[in-house]
């Protein structure tokens, strides 16, 4: 396994491999685009590594501490075994794992054998890809850019999203939300009669697409179609701005949102799983 310290060199090496499954790898590609641009995504330098077989990239691992380890697709279990053994031998601490369902499950099982850490499913997800918005919501309102007067509201909603969708505790969620949004990350609002009722954002450029994220509607405004309208309008804007695809992660525990996204043109690509790892030896 080869470790990299320069995000540009790493992306140049692994991008052809990752682009063979661009939607599945949208998170890794997007994070690497941000790192290459000089953004600091974690408290420590990122972990960037690839496994090669017969001179070709066979697997990619990326971690921006304190965030989870993100794994690429791999053709065989031997590649995952190599990643697990090399990271364990290097003394790397992994808080959790994010990858396609089969890949992530095999890795955490092997990591548990090596480290003694226990693991649990934090979230079962599905990755979607959209080429064309086929059914925009008829909900009232319009998409707009936030203004300075929206800053307090966006902090509140960012924290609420982190607690609801990512399982983050309130203290950490509010701490993260208080930080300025990174340059590569953008939030927009859905407004009805002059009041913001929902939000969605985008980040993580890939060579052909971009990832829609941070879809949040406060409880009092749910069930009215605002989130669907916001995502549909935002997705159309991103396509109009030159992106060939929009990507989206969903929570499989929420069948309503999965149905809504498919109605507007998002097509399922692959299921993914987020695992959390204990740091205590069993």
């Amino acid at each position: 396994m080869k470790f990299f310290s320069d995000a540009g060199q790493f992306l140049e090496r692994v991008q052809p491999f990752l682009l063979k499954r661009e939607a599945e790898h949208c998170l890794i590609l997007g994070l690497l685009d941000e790192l290459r641009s000089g953004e600091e995504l974690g408290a420590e330098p990122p972990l960037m590594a690839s496994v090669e077989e017969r001179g070709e990239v066979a697997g990619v691992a990326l971690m921006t501490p304190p965030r989870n380890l993100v794994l690429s697709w791999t053709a065989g279990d031997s590649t995952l075994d190599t990643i697990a053994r090399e990271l364990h031998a290097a003394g790397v601490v992994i808080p959790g794992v994010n990858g396609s369902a089969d890949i992530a499950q095999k890795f955490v099982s092997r990591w548990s054998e090596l480290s003694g850490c226990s693991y649990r499913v934090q979230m079962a997800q599905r990755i979607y890809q959209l080429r064309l918005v086929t059914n925009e919501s008829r909900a009232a309102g319009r998409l707009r850019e936030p203004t300075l007067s929206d800053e307090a509201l966006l902090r509140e909603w960012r924290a609420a999203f982190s607690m609801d969708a990512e399982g983050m505790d309130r203290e950490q969620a509010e701490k993260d939300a208080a930080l300025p949004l990174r340059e590569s990350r953008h939030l927009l609002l859905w407004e009805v009669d002059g009041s913001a009722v929902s939000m969605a954002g985008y980040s993580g450029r890939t060579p052909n697409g971009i990832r829609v994220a941070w879809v949040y509607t406060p409880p009092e405004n749910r069930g009215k179609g605002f989130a669907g309208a916001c995502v549909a309008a935002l997705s159309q804007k991103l396509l109009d701005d030159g992106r060939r695809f929009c990507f989206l992660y969903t929570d499989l525990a929420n069948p309503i949102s999965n149905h809504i996204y498919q109605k507007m043109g998002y097509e399922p690509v692959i299921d993914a799983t987020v695992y959390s790892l204990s740091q205590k030896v069993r």
Side-chain angles (χ1 to χ4, degrees):
M1 190 159 80
K2 183 176 181 180
F3 291 88
F4 291 76
S5 59
D6 183 275
Q9 293 178 0
F10 183 51
L11 184 58
E12 181 179 359
R13 179 58 185 153
V14 302
Q15 183 167 276
F17 168 80
L18 295 174
L19 282 178
K20 293 175 182 178
R21 294 168 175 258
E22 187 170 357
E24 182 175 346
H25 295 142
C26 66
L27 181 57
I28 296 179
L29 285 163
L31 290 171
L32 286 176
D33 180 72
E34 294 177 16
L35 288 168
R36 179 179 59 179
S37 300
E39 291 198 41
E40 295 183 3
L41 302 186
E44 304 172 20
L47 182 154
M48 301 177 288
S50 66
V51 175
E52 299 197 8
E53 297 175 359
R54 295 182 291 278
E56 298 291 333
V57 175
V60 175
L62 173 66
M63 186 168 71
T64 56
R67 302 291 184 179
N68 293 336
L69 177 72
V70 186
L71 296 171
S72 73
W73 172 87
T74 65
D77 294 352
S78 62
T79 302
L80 290 174
D81 185 67
T82 297
I83 295 172
R85 285 188 292 101
E86 292 278 355
L87 295 183
H88 184 256
V92 175
V93 176
I94 302 175
V97 175
N98 188 336
S100 61
D102 185 52
I103 296 294
Q105 193 281 324
K106 289 178 178 178
F107 180 87
V108 294
S109 178
R110 183 66 177 121
W111 186 258
S112 180
E113 293 174 1
L114 291 168
S115 67
C117 291
S118 62
Y119 58 89
R120 66 174 181 86
V121 173
Q122 182 174 330
M123 185 181 294
Q125 300 176 312
R126 181 163 292 157
I127 302 173
Y128 286 87
Q129 175 178 284
L130 175 138
R131 302 169 182 264
L132 175 70
V133 177
T134 57
N135 182 25
E136 290 199 46
S137 170
R138 297 181 181 275
R142 68 182 184 96
L143 187 72
R144 71 165 175 84
E145 295 279 351
T147 65
L148 288 176
S149 64
D150 297 309
E151 285 188 355
L153 179 68
L154 288 176
R155 284 196 300 270
E156 178 186 338
W157 285 4
R158 285 171 60 193
F161 173 84
S162 295
M163 290 186 286
D164 285 1
E166 299 177 344
M168 193 178 292
D169 65 77
R170 177 177 295 275
E171 181 180 358
Q172 186 61 50
E174 292 179 347
K175 180 179 178 181
D176 287 359
L179 297 173
L181 203 64
R182 291 199 289 268
E183 186 176 338
S184 62
R185 303 186 173 190
H186 304 271
L187 295 174
L188 288 92
L189 294 167
W190 190 256
E191 181 181 87
V192 177
D193 296 331
S195 297
V197 295
S198 188
M199 84 172 178
Y202 62 94
S203 182
R205 293 183 307 170
T206 72
N208 299 295
I210 199 160
R211 181 167 46 87
V212 173
W214 306 298
V215 181
Y216 178 77
T217 304
E220 65 272 17
N221 292 326
R222 292 175 186 171
K224 302 175 183 178
F226 296 146
C230 187
V231 171
L234 174 58
S235 300
Q236 186 61 62
K237 167 182 165 43
L238 295 171
L239 294 175
D240 291 343
D241 288 346
R243 299 286 97 188
R244 290 180 59 198
F245 310 114
C246 293
F247 308 117
L248 182 73
Y249 277 79
T250 66
D251 181 354
L252 285 177
N254 188 339
I256 295 176
S257 65
N258 280 268
H259 176 69
I260 291 171
Y261 294 139
Q262 290 183 69
K263 281 185 64 177
M264 73 178 66
Y266 276 92
E267 300 174 338
V269 175
I270 195 168
D271 286 357
T273 309
V274 180
Y275 287 91
S276 60
L277 293 165
S278 75
Q279 302 307 319
K280 295 181 180 179
V281 177
R282 293 176 300 186

